[in-house]
Amino acid sequence: MGVVELLANRSFVVPLFVFISAFIVFSANIGGLSIYSLDEAKNAECAREMLERGDLIVPTFNYQLRTDKPPVHYYFMMTAYTLFGVNEFSARFFSALFGAFTVLITYLFARRFLDEKTAFFSFIVLISSLHMSVQFHMAVPDPYLIFWVNASLFSFYVGFVEKRKLFIYLFYIFMGLGVLTKGPVAVVLPSGIILVYLILTKRLTLKNILFLRPVQGLLLTLAVSLPWYIAVYLKTDGRWVYEFIFKHNIHRFSQPMEGHGGIFLLTLAFVFIGLLPFSVFILQALKKVWKERNDVLLFLMVFAGLYVLFFSISKTKLPNYTVPAYPPIAVLIGYYLARLGLKDRKSFVASTVFYIIVATAVVVGLFIGIKNEPPISDLAYLSLWFLILVIGGILALFFVVKNNLKMSVLSLSAFSVFMGFVFFYIAFPPVDRRNPVVQMLPLIEKDKPVRYYKSFNPAFVFYLRKEIKPLNKGQLQQYFSQDERVFLLTRKRNLKDLENIKNAFILKVVKDLFENRSSALVSNRN
């Protein structure tokens, strides 16, 4: 098939459009925003240190063992650093790429087992989610896990329903890669989802179990993931494995970590807010899907339902935990949107009005939140950009009145996607420039000694690209008595310990954005 024939082939052009569109949305200004959040800073720096040492086994942050996550996302960041240099764009490049692949496989799955229309609306739901876009903008492991989880479960379904062994093997391979990205959750949840699906469809038979080749599959998953775990166990005398399993998995599930607890319903709220604007139609979608359920719709309901339920039970609750459930939920909503008719007009109007109210509340909430955040209180006007969402809702309502429900859906999507571009290119950059790392870096001479006292913002390590060693209270006077210029990073609450230290001059104190602490920079010269 020649190039012209290929481009004329709808089955090729539409998926290509879906992939490119998703990548453009998810990569918007990824190189123009600083690596500031704690998770991004530690992950991006860990990959940089591993590349610097040429070490593919032991993750470190600030040159100390980091046991938070396995290495797959580090490997991709290291690849990007090699290709594009060590910078913000490189740290986030593969996150955006995996986001585009996630949207693509969701579209292809929906098209394969439902129809083109449902697939397209599923794509619309996903790229319209600002939270989805934020997630795939970040230099963290979640974008990779989201893809592996969905790729594994979609592969299982294709392989099981169509009796194709290749996809069954891909299912186990993707789970192995998920284990190398975020640990046992990449096996526990998909396996549980499949078990429940087989029970509900009364297909948990010996014949089907044998077809799934669980022994071979387990060996394949272990072949992908276990070598690295053995290597890191040996190189760290078991410390990495012990801390990762007990602290970052079992303890995180059984106890709230870092203040991220909450009631059962909080997880549902995360999903609802995260999938706006189209989450306002979730009740209608579930009602329709349940009424017209077939095998694939049941599978998607089990997938999304169990994933959300698992993290509702978990004691540690974060918005990113349930994002792997967004693709199946998007297909369920897409199924509803693809079948909209005038009979749905009344409920559609009610949901659209509710969305306008929610979007207005977002604008008001952001204005109040920014106004009460001292470093950026003068930037409260930026919240008015979110009126774009309100306008999109009002326009959608106008099209509903005109009995054009499809244009109403497209209006919600277009204005939400546009809001995403405005957020990343216009609204957020001025806020980002007020963070303490961006404010203090110009004051630090990178070739001079830099130490920290008690605690500091981890993003400094990524930008200074060297180890920042700790000082105890007894070492402070000697440190500031040196002839050459030196710098100390600490927190505002610790400055009282420096009051009697000679030659300790406070250069700058900046509140960490939306946190109850402030960063401080101290030097022996004013």
Side-chain angles (χ1 to χ4, degrees), residues 229-244:
Y229 279 89
I230 293 173
V232 78
Y233 181 91
L234 294 174
K235 292 196 75 171
T236 63
D237 294 324
R239 182 183 161 196
W240 191 97
V241 173
Y242 180 84
E243 289 191 16
F244 176 67

Side-chain angles (χ1 to χ4, degrees), residues 225-508:
S225 59
L226 194 58
W228 179 82
Y229 279 89
I230 293 173
V232 78
Y233 181 91
L234 294 174
K235 292 196 75 171
T236 63
D237 294 324
R239 182 183 161 196
W240 191 97
V241 173
Y242 180 84
E243 289 191 16
F244 176 67
I245 296 298
F246 288 96
K247 178 181 178 181
H248 296 289
N249 283 269
I250 296 174
H251 185 69
R252 190 176 289 270
F253 182 81
S254 59
Q255 298 292 330
M257 284 191 67
E258 299 164 356
H260 299 301
I263 62 172
F264 180 88
L265 293 176
L266 183 61
T267 300
L268 298 179
F270 286 154
V271 174
F272 175 78
I273 295 170
L275 275 172
L276 285 171
F278 292 105
S279 56
V280 294
F281 304 112
I282 189 66
L283 293 180
Q284 296 100 306
L286 290 176
K287 181 180 178 181
K288 188 173 190 65
V289 165
W290 183 253
K291 184 179 179 181
E292 302 177 8
R293 66 187 181 278
N294 55 26
D295 191 69
V296 67
L297 292 175
L298 179 61
F299 172 73
L300 292 169
M301 283 190 285
V302 172
F303 178 176
L306 283 183
Y307 215 98
V308 174
L309 178 63
F310 180 86
F311 287 107
S312 296
I313 297 171
S314 172
K315 295 297 183 181
T316 302
K317 291 178 171 62
L318 285 168
N320 57 296
Y321 284 178
T322 48
V323 179
Y326 285 12
I329 296 174
V331 177
L332 297 176
I333 297 174
Y335 181 85
Y336 163 75
L337 296 175
R339 288 155 181 79
L340 278 175
L342 291 180
K343 65 183 184 301
D344 303 303
R345 186 172 177 272
K346 187 176 179 180
S347 66
F348 195 93
V349 167
S351 293
T352 306
V353 170
F354 180 60
Y355 171 68
I356 293 171
I357 294 171
V358 171
T360 303
V362 168
V363 176
V364 174
L366 283 172
F367 184 88
I368 294 172
I370 296 173
K371 196 70 178 174
N372 287 283
E373 185 68 10
I376 55 173
S377 59
D378 60 315
L379 300 178
Y381 69 90
L382 291 172
S383 62
L384 299 179
W385 279 111
F386 282 81
L387 286 171
I388 290 171
L389 300 178
V390 179
I391 295 169
I394 293 171
L395 188 60
L397 202 58
F398 168 79
F399 282 116
V400 174
V401 172
K402 295 292 184 180
N403 293 327
N404 194 336
L405 271 64
K406 295 297 188 287
M407 278 301 298
S408 179
V409 170
L410 293 177
S411 296
L412 288 172
S413 176
F415 278 80
S416 187
V417 171
F418 179 57
M419 181 64 241
F421 284 110
V422 169
F423 176 77
F424 289 113
Y425 281 105
I426 299 174
F428 190 64
V431 175
D432 180 57
R433 288 193 287 271
R434 299 289 180 88
N435 78 62
V437 178
V438 172
Q439 292 284 305
M440 293 177 178
L441 278 174
L443 303 178
I444 300 174
E445 298 174 38
K446 294 183 179 181
D447 60 332
K448 302 296 184 182
V450 181
R451 300 288 184 267
Y452 77 90
Y453 177 60
K454 290 189 176 180
S455 65
F456 71 111
N457 192 302
F460 283 107
V461 186
F462 177 76
Y463 285 104
L464 294 176
R465 299 185 187 179
K466 62 181 180 181
E467 181 179 4
I468 302 177
K469 295 180 179 180
L471 291 176
N472 60 45
K473 190 173 182 179
Q475 296 172 313
L476 291 173
Q477 185 59 74
Q478 182 181 1
Y479 183 68
F480 283 105
S481 298
Q482 297 181 68
D483 293 331
E484 68 171 330
R485 190 170 195 187
V486 298
F487 297 89
L488 182 78
L489 296 167
T490 189
R491 299 293 187 182
K492 182 181 178 180
R493 63 177 179 269
N494 301 324
L495 291 177
K496 61 181 182 297
D497 293 343
L498 280 75
E499 290 176 353
N500 298 318
I501 303 297
K502 295 180 180 179
N503 301 322
F505 300 101
I506 300 170
L507 299 184
K508 203 171 188 68

Side-chain angles (χ1 to χ4, degrees), residues 15-293:
L16 182 64
F17 168 78
V18 166
F19 176 79
I20 292 174
S21 300
F23 182 71
I24 290 172
V25 169
F26 296 152
S27 63
N29 203 26
I30 56 173
L33 301 171
S34 68
I35 297 287
Y36 168 68
S37 71
L38 181 146
D39 286 342
E40 274 205 299
K42 289 192 172 183
N43 284 287
E45 171 60 13
C46 185
R48 189 199 69 79
E49 291 178 18
M50 291 177 74
L51 179 64
E52 180 183 75
R53 298 194 315 272
D55 187 350
L56 296 176
I57 305 301
V58 181
T60 61
F61 169 75
N62 199 21
Y63 299 86
Q64 303 299 313
L65 183 66
R66 183 171 195 255
T67 61
D68 293 52
K69 297 294 180 290
V72 159
H73 64 298
Y74 301 141
Y75 294 162
F76 281 102
M77 289 185 201
M78 291 163 70
T79 301
Y81 290 160
T82 302
L83 293 173
F84 311 119
V86 178
N87 51 53
E88 297 88 347
F89 175 86
S90 300
R92 298 170 175 139
F93 174 77
F94 279 104
S95 293
L97 196 63
F98 270 73
F101 278 125
T102 300
V103 174
L104 177 62
I105 63 172
T106 304
Y107 168 85
L108 293 174
F109 182 83
R111 187 178 74 172
R112 188 182 194 114
F113 292 103
L114 292 164
D115 54 76
E116 180 82 40
K117 220 172 175 184
T118 298
F120 187 76
F121 279 111
S122 303
F123 154 69
I124 289 293
V125 172
L126 288 177
I127 66 164
S128 302
S129 163
L130 187 57
H131 182 224
M132 187 90 167
S133 185
V134 168
Q135 196 62 61
F136 286 116
H137 268 74
M138 298 189 72
V140 293
D142 297 274
Y144 305 87
L145 180 71
I146 294 165
F147 177 79
W148 301 135
V149 168
N150 281 276
S152 66
L153 285 167
F154 290 163
S155 294
F156 157 77
Y157 192 82
V158 174
F160 183 72
V161 171
E162 299 181 1
K163 302 303 177 187
R164 300 181 64 177
K165 296 178 183 178
L166 172 63
F167 283 90
I168 297 299
Y169 290 131
L170 285 174
F171 158 63
Y172 290 113
I173 291 171
F174 288 135
M175 280 204 302
L177 290 167
V179 173
L180 270 181
T181 300
K182 222 170 179 183
V185 68
V187 168
V188 172
L189 277 173
S191 299
I193 288 165
I194 290 168
L195 178 62
V196 172
Y197 162 73
L198 292 176
I199 291 172
L200 290 177
T201 56
K202 298 179 180 179
R203 285 188 265 184
L204 187 61
T205 64
L206 180 60
K207 180 181 178 181
N208 285 332
I209 291 173
L210 292 175
F211 174 75
L212 293 175
R213 294 166 172 77
V215 175
Q216 293 171 267
L218 177 62
L219 291 174
L220 188 55
T221 298
L222 291 175
V224 172
S225 59
L226 194 58
W228 179 82
Y229 279 89
I230 293 173
V232 78
Y233 181 91
L234 294 174
K235 292 196 75 171
T236 63
D237 294 324
R239 182 183 161 196
W240 191 97
V241 173
Y242 180 84
E243 289 191 16
F244 176 67
I245 296 298
F246 288 96
K247 178 181 178 181
H248 296 289
N249 283 269
I250 296 174
H251 185 69
R252 190 176 289 270
F253 182 81
S254 59
Q255 298 292 330
M257 284 191 67
E258 299 164 356
H260 299 301
I263 62 172
F264 180 88
L265 293 176
L266 183 61
T267 300
L268 298 179
F270 286 154
V271 174
F272 175 78
I273 295 170
L275 275 172
L276 285 171
F278 292 105
S279 56
V280 294
F281 304 112
I282 189 66
L283 293 180
Q284 296 100 306
L286 290 176
K287 181 180 178 181
K288 188 173 190 65
V289 165
W290 183 253
K291 184 179 179 181
E292 302 177 8
R293 66 187 181 278

